Amino acid sequence: MPALAVNSFWVLGAGAIAIAAGNALHARLAFLRRWSIPASIVSGFLLAAVTLALRGAGIELAVDPTIQNLAMVAFFTSIGFSLDAD
């Protein structure tokens, strides 16, 4: 299976487009709001659908993990900020 190399800029760009599309779909589809499905989940499903379609076409994504590591550190640090010291 051929691999498509995806650098950090493409990852951020695809994420931004997916978030914009997820927000737009969330605003237009009432059942998403009625069932309390957040726009971020819709965005994730859009990216998952694209990845599944590429994999079905025989293309595998080789994603640069630099942004993933940075985002995980930022996420867990923000969780730590919300802890109560009492």
Side-chain angles (χ1 to χ4, degrees):
M1 183 178 293
L4 177 63
V6 182
N7 64 20
S8 298
F9 296 112
W10 284 104
V11 169
L12 289 175
I17 291 169
I19 289 171
N23 286 334
L25 279 173
H26 190 265
R28 285 179 176 77
L29 300 175
F31 75 90
L32 294 173
R33 293 186 304 276
R34 185 172 48 243
W35 291 344
S36 299
I37 300 173
S40 58
I41 298 298
V42 176
S43 302
F45 274 121
L46 289 175
L47 284 175
V50 170
T51 304
L52 181 65
L54 287 172
R55 185 168 280 196
I59 300 170
E60 186 175 329
L61 295 178
V63 180
D64 180 23
T66 304
I67 295 296
Q68 176 189 7
N69 294 334
L70 180 64
M72 285 174 41
V73 167
F75 173 75
F76 289 117
T77 302
S78 68
I79 295 297
F81 287 147
S82 67
L83 292 177
D84 190 11
D86 288 340

